[in-house]
Amino acid sequence: MARGSLSWPAASLLGGLGPSARDRLLNLGALTQYPAAGRVLMHEGDTTTFVIILLDGVVKATALTQDGRHALLAVRMGGDLVGELSSVDGGPRSATVTTAGVVVARVVSQAEFLDCTRRDPQISHAVNTAVVAKLRLANRRRIDFTGCDVRTRLARVLHQTAVAYATKPGDGLPLTQPELATLAGAAEPTVHKALRDLRASGVVSTGYRSIRVLDLDRLQAIAYP
């Protein structure tokens, strides 16, 4: 896949870098394609330290809860970096990362990644900024959900995901209803009801393993009344 055929959201690591710095980052590692959904790229608890620069496609980060369920922590798309925490501190993987479809990426060793960030302040700053943005989003989600009803929490999850990845009206978000329930901190039956309400209002539509945002402005009005 030619680099020129790809574009990335401005909020992503690759989208936020200038052309020359982005090219330097994209010269790292080996180009790899994962041809289908369900391929595990990283296992929670593993001691691997490579990083993956996502060029195209979607992956999901999950972790096991105390009762043995798989909780969805985040969705990452083309332009994002995954696995950087273990690369930086050498600690075990904090999540399992699995493809949600065809994924094209560059797989970069810890040594090459850390050498690049040491030598290139622009890339180092961009990586740090991306990590901080993830932490801010996680904190914002915890704060936003305090005292909100499920419909509002669900709308915020959908709105945050759509805005973060610059989706256009009608684009599908690769989220199943059980995963939405995890992200919204709600029981599945309650999320099903909230989704029915959003569908009836013409704000979203649902399909197999995906949600489509049809009216982002109305979704925002519901999420942040």
Side-chain angles (χ1 to χ4, degrees):
M1 179 177 293
R3 292 180 190 175
S5 66
L6 296 171
S7 61
W8 299 284
S12 69
L13 173 64
L14 293 179
L17 281 170
S20 59
R22 183 166 56 236
D23 284 345
R24 292 195 298 274
L25 186 62
L26 291 176
N27 282 327
L28 302 180
L31 183 66
T32 307
Q33 179 166 317
Y34 305 96
R39 172 69 180 271
V40 176
L41 309 184
M42 300 171 183
H43 288 272
E44 181 182 3
D46 276 1
T47 56
T48 55
T49 55
F50 61 87
V51 302
I52 295 178
I53 305 169
L54 298 174
L55 304 184
D56 194 35
V58 178
V59 300
K60 296 178 181 181
T62 59
L64 277 175
T65 63
Q66 288 185 340
D67 59 3
R69 293 181 298 109
H70 291 273
L72 179 64
L73 303 179
V75 176
R76 303 291 179 222
M77 300 186 184
D80 284 337
L81 182 68
V82 293
E84 69 273 22
L85 297 184
S86 291
S87 186
V88 170
D89 69 5
R93 299 292 189 190
S94 59
T96 294
V97 177
T98 307
T99 60
V102 177
V103 168
V104 181
R106 297 198 72 86
V107 180
V108 184
S109 70
Q110 179 189 38
E112 192 176 10
F113 175 68
L114 294 181
D115 183 64
C116 174
T117 57
R118 282 192 293 264
R119 292 173 177 270
D120 197 317
Q122 189 175 356
I123 291 176
S124 178
H125 177 70
V127 169
N128 290 338
T129 299
V131 172
V132 169
K134 292 175 185 178
L135 294 176
R136 286 188 184 278
L137 179 58
N139 287 340
R140 184 75 257 167
R141 184 171 289 158
R142 293 189 186 99
I143 294 168
D144 280 350
F145 286 1
T146 302
C148 291
D149 61 25
V150 171
R151 184 171 181 265
T152 302
R153 297 205 302 268
L154 177 63
R156 289 182 181 182
V157 167
L158 292 171
H159 184 266
Q160 288 167 2
T161 305
V163 169
Y165 295 103
T167 56
K168 302 178 182 65
D171 285 353
L173 302 175
L175 296 170
T176 66
Q177 293 186 27
E179 289 167 344
L180 278 174
T182 298
L183 289 175
E188 283 185 46
T190 311
V191 167
H192 294 166
K193 181 179 183 302
L195 272 176
R196 284 198 300 271
D197 291 344
L198 293 176
R199 281 200 305 265
S201 301
V203 176
V204 303
S205 67
T206 57
Y208 177 67
R209 301 183 67 83
S210 71
I211 309 291
R212 296 184 184 278
V213 175
L214 304 179
D215 192 328
L216 189 61
D217 290 338
R218 290 177 65 191
L219 182 63
Q220 181 176 0
I222 294 168
Y224 303 98

